[in-house]
Amino acid sequence: MLQGPVIILCAFAYLGVLFAIAYYADQRADAGRPVIANAYVYSLSLAVYATAWTFYGSVGRAASDGVGFLPIYIGPTLMIALWWVVMRKILRISKQNRITSLADFIASRYGKSALLGGIVTVIAVVGILPYISLQLKAVSASYLILVQYPEIVMPQTLGETPMREDTALWVALLLAAFTIAFGTRHLDAAEHHQGMVAAIAFESLVKLIAFLAVGVFVTFFLYDGLGDLFGRAAAQPKLRAMMTPLEGVAGGYASWVWLTILSMMAIMFLPRQFQVAVIENLNEKHLSKAIWLFPLYMLAINLFVLPIAFGGLLRFPGGGVDGDTFVLTLPMAEKQEALALLVFIGGLSAATGMVIVETIALSTMVCNDLVMPVLLRMRSLRLNAQPDLTGLLLGIRRGAIVLILLLGYLYFKLAGEAYALVSIGLISFAAVAQFAPAVLGGIFWKGGTRMGALGGLVAGFAVWFYTLLLPALARSGWLPIGLLEQGPFGIALLKPLALFGLAGLDQITHAMIWSMLANIGAYVGFSLAASPGVDEHRQASLFVDVFRQAGEAGGARFWRGTASAPELYNLLARFLGVAAADDAFEDYAKAHGRRWPGDGLEADAELVHYVEVQLAGAIGSASARVMVASVAKEEALTSDELRELLDEASQVVVYSHRLEQKSHELEAATAELRAANEQLKELDRMKDDFVSTVSHELRTPLTSIRAFTQILLEHPNVDAGQRSKFLGIITKETERLTRLINQVLDLSKIESGKAEWQESRVDMRELIGDAVTGMSQVFEEQAIKVDVELPQKVPPVRADVDRIIQVMLNLLSNAAKFCEPGRGQIRVALQTQAGALRVEVRDNGPGIDPADQRVIFDKFRQAGDTLTGKPQGSGLGLHISRQIVEHFGGRMWVESELGHGACFAFTLPHE
Amino acid sequence: MDDKGKEQRFVALCMLGVVLFNFPVLALFNVGGSILGIPVLYAYIFAAWALVIALLCWLAER
Amino acid sequence: MSKKILVADDEPNIVTALEFLLERSGYQVRIARNGDEALKAIESDPPDLVLLDIMMPVKSGYEVCKRIRERPEWAGMKVVMLSAKGRDVEVNKGLDMGADLYVTKPFSTRDLVEKIATLLK
């Protein structure tokens, strides 16, 4: 049954089914009822990641390396965990900026640079060629093997026959035709290919089913389950060694790590992945399901890899059968024709899926980001004059598809034999990994510049070429093998497989280390070296801050120019076709409450931006920019102008900032001045008060003295009684004056610190005794009874004897002054307390009311101002006494109740 | 769950995966013998993988 | 009819001196020892001239002067302020209050008597 024509017929039948599905899906899409707008389809479409490499190559790798095939699937699982952060951002950015491809994304981010877009396209094409050739190899090999049924013969052994080569070529051409039919039937502004996505989702299911079928077959039919299978494998020492195979993983630890990293980047930056994950995404919400469904798919499709590998090793000992073919050859060996055919279809499915999506993605890039920018700049073609360019665009894409597939075939012919499938694939992985710095840096770091991206990409790609592609060519004989073994021109340090002496790593790891080093180094270095231009800066903000932006109007900010709506319409029609242009303008008009055609639509910045975005969907953002600019006769803000503007703005900001600062400083200074002024005024006032009070106090006795002296002089006939009275007053007032002057001088000396204190050990008993004795005459005159209570012994006090006596005299004379006349009683008491001696002078006078008590120690304050008329005394006595006591570390206070006398007390610390 | 928290949890999950699938931990399971007939290392890898996927599902669908 | 003078001051000695001087000059002298007393005395028997010490307890000389000047019927009453405070600001304040004369202590007895005589002409 399994003969050439049958197989081919089946293949075509399958492709026909795919085509039908795609067609149907496209119809539904056009009708506005997309069939692929659900998360499951989206997740399955992501599974285009699993190609013939997965289908055939994983088993092959497992057969030689054990678990060494797994990092390529674990990596994406890990990366997908980060998709919530990274992919959501990329999706949002791409939707907002109508990104149509990976090259478009990068070009757009770095200032809509057509150059960058072109370079990315070239790298992508060259980098993917090995991958495409791998699919061709797998399909052709699987066909060749199958057609040999029931014999199992490896294609290599067939020798270099034309048939073998023809197969791959036919496959390539077939796939090209298929892809053209699939993906270039019309131009879509958003580059959606819904039909393609539907077909891909379907084929993901097919390959999964096929693989699981083989897995189940091998595990449960060839053997009795996993235990049996592994048990038998363990029986063979060589195989058992593979069960703890980490040592055996080629390149060891580093290799495992780098493979994981590599595949993490592949899942993002393979053009086909970017296409299905980003461009074809219809709804951000689908991401939630995809985040776990896709890893689940990968787990499922890898579940039976190891059993199949072991099954194959057990079944075909001796290495005559390639591990890459086990999936097919095992059913064949067991005469399972249907299964084998299913496997073949499965493999075909995997391969075609990859090729279709990849080449469509690449052709879009080639058209939008490589060819069109060049053509548009070639004025000789006068493309601006052409009314309809859709035909040209489609033609370019179709040509690109054919070209890419042929190049893939070329690679297969030149270098495809040298490596196992997996290795070939990894070379492509390493190529697309070069996009990582530019993209990831681009969405997170505003400082990433065009120069940086250019430098990084060029450097990374160059290293990749040198360390991976060259060796492949050399190993296939197209370049002298000496290049690998001795290095170029014999320079050992530049050996492509051991650059600068870094040996001992497997080829991929080695290449990754150096290329990433060069890439990231150049990216960061160039980015930091120069500041971004106007366009770059705008784009950087748009990208990095995408979650903070409010819609698409952001892009319209920096624009000045003149345009007319009809001109813009014509432009759009030229590229998208009249129908699409009509739709676009109608939508826009409706959104602005107008009608199109009819009302004059204002060709303002918003419309221009809208048209540009629509156009970018067809020809890429860089080209769209150029076209719109030419129509709108834009005056772009030049870098200089923008810089000036920004400078001015920032200067204003700085200036106003400085003003603010100055005014704050001024306020602070004013406040300080005001406070100081207040203080001064207060001091002044206090000084004034003091001076005026003192002068008042001085003048009062002086007045009496002068008055009476004058009276006595001018009225000599005053009687003797009055004369002596007056003279008495004069004397008393003179005394009063003297006393006052002395006290004022005393006070001022004490307060200014210029008083002379003579410290000595003072016996308070003695001192009090002396003071009381000194006052004895006064007491006698006023018939005051004095009680003195002194303890037997008291510790000495360090103080100035005279001063303390002064205090005692002051208190005693006050007490005497206020005592009840005739019935005066004064009690003096001395006590020893903790750390101090306490002296009390109590009188039985009228007492002091609380209000007076508070101020009695103040200068010039006397008790009894309001009650008994002005008493004798200056009002300074108590104040000075307190100053004295406090000088020696003591306290003075009064206790009194109205009507119950007053008690003045003070303490002095004893030694 | 708010966006920021979700982001962080996903990153944490990624880190977990990095730890689970890298050498220090892998080497632990790099031993002979089998569980349910499956060599220990393989069993571990697939089990851990399934666990990570389950966590992804839980996080994403919250 | 001799003129009546009220002396208001809380310093007893000054009161004594003023009393002597003024009685010697033939005036009828009454005494008040604080502002309140002064006002009461003026109420009960309005004098022709009041000698007001400013620094008095209860009510100051300024207060008393103000009160006197509030009463139109006493417009003819002369007010002489006596104070130890001799700064311009106080003098002006006193005159603004309505005093006819401001004398600073210590004063010349002869001057004072002469000025009072002029005022009471």
Side-chain angles (χ1 to χ4, degrees), chain A residues 285-451:
Chain A
K285 296 210 182 46
H286 291 168
L287 200 60
S288 302
K289 269 233 183 341
I291 281 183
W292 60 275
L293 266 182
F294 180 47
L296 188 61
Y297 181 98
M298 285 197 287
L299 177 85
I301 206 164
N302 280 298
L303 213 47
F304 287 107
V305 169
L306 282 163
I308 296 176
F310 278 119
L313 286 170
L314 285 171
R315 183 73 178 72
F316 305 110
V321 178
D322 266 343
D324 281 350
T325 65
F326 283 173
V327 193
L328 189 59
T329 49
L330 272 174
M332 280 172 69
E334 299 299 317
K335 311 285 189 255
Q336 298 290 328
E337 294 181 12
L339 185 60
L341 193 57
L342 180 63
V343 167
F344 172 75
I345 298 292
L348 178 66
S349 190
T352 48
M354 182 274 184
V355 168
I356 291 172
V357 184
E358 204 82 71
T359 43
I360 287 178
L362 285 174
S363 70
T364 307
M365 284 202 265
V366 167
C367 172
N368 288 356
D369 302 289
L370 192 60
V371 176
M372 282 307 291
V374 170
L375 289 184
L376 284 173
R377 279 167 174 75
M378 286 168 61
R379 292 184 196 270
S380 53
L381 290 180
R382 271 192 291 204
L383 284 177
N384 288 355
Q386 299 267 8
D388 184 9
L389 289 171
T390 51
L392 178 63
L393 290 171
L394 285 174
I396 294 176
R397 291 175 191 211
R398 289 168 184 158
I401 290 174
V402 173
L403 187 65
I404 290 169
L405 276 163
L406 285 178
L407 281 174
Y409 169 70
L410 197 65
Y411 184 89
F412 165 69
K413 262 203 76 160
L414 291 182
E417 295 306 324
Y419 295 120
L421 289 180
V422 169
S423 309
I424 299 176
L426 289 177
I427 294 178
S428 289
F429 271 26
V432 298
Q434 305 305 322
F435 297 134
V439 173
L440 294 176
I443 65 175
F444 289 119
W445 183 36
K446 280 194 225 186
T449 69
R450 193 165 60 92
M451 285 313 296

Side-chain angles (χ1 to χ4, degrees), chain A residues 98 572 579-597 601 606-607 610 614:
Chain A
R98 302 291 228 126
L572 209 55
D582 273 337
D583 281 340
F585 267 71
E586 269 167 30
D587 282 341
Y588 180 85
K590 219 187 301 180
H592 287 72
R594 304 272 188 78
R595 278 165 8 113
W596 172 272
L601 262 185
E606 211 186 321
L607 177 61
Y610 179 77
Q614 297 295 319

Side-chain angles (χ1 to χ4, degrees), chain A residues 822-849:
Chain A
R823 291 200 295 139
Q825 271 185 321
I826 295 180
R827 198 181 83 115
V828 181
L830 173 64
Q831 280 173 350
T832 313
Q833 287 185 333
L837 291 183
R838 182 185 142 113
V839 177
E840 234 183 50
V841 175
R842 200 183 285 273
D843 66 70
N844 65 346
I848 307 170
D849 87 62

Side-chain angles (χ1 to χ4, degrees), chain A residues 696 699-700 703-704 706-708 710-711 714-715 717-718 722 726 729 733 736 870, chain C residues 10-11 13-14 16-17 20-21 24 55 57 84-85 87 105-110:
Chain A
H696 183 273
R699 287 180 200 224
T700 307
T703 310
S704 300
R706 181 174 180 185
F708 284 113
Q710 258 187 309
I711 289 176
E714 284 162 10
H715 299 268
N717 51 347
V718 170
Q722 276 196 314
F726 290 172
I729 292 176
E733 294 294 274
R736 179 175 161 195
K870 213 156 187 188
Chain C
D10 57 337
E11 271 283 336
N13 291 332
I14 294 181
T16 311
F20 176 84
L21 274 173
R24 265 299 168 117
M55 300 299 281
K85 295 199 174 187
R87 292 184 295 180
K105 304 183 201 174
F107 49 81
S108 153
T109 48
R110 199 196 313 211

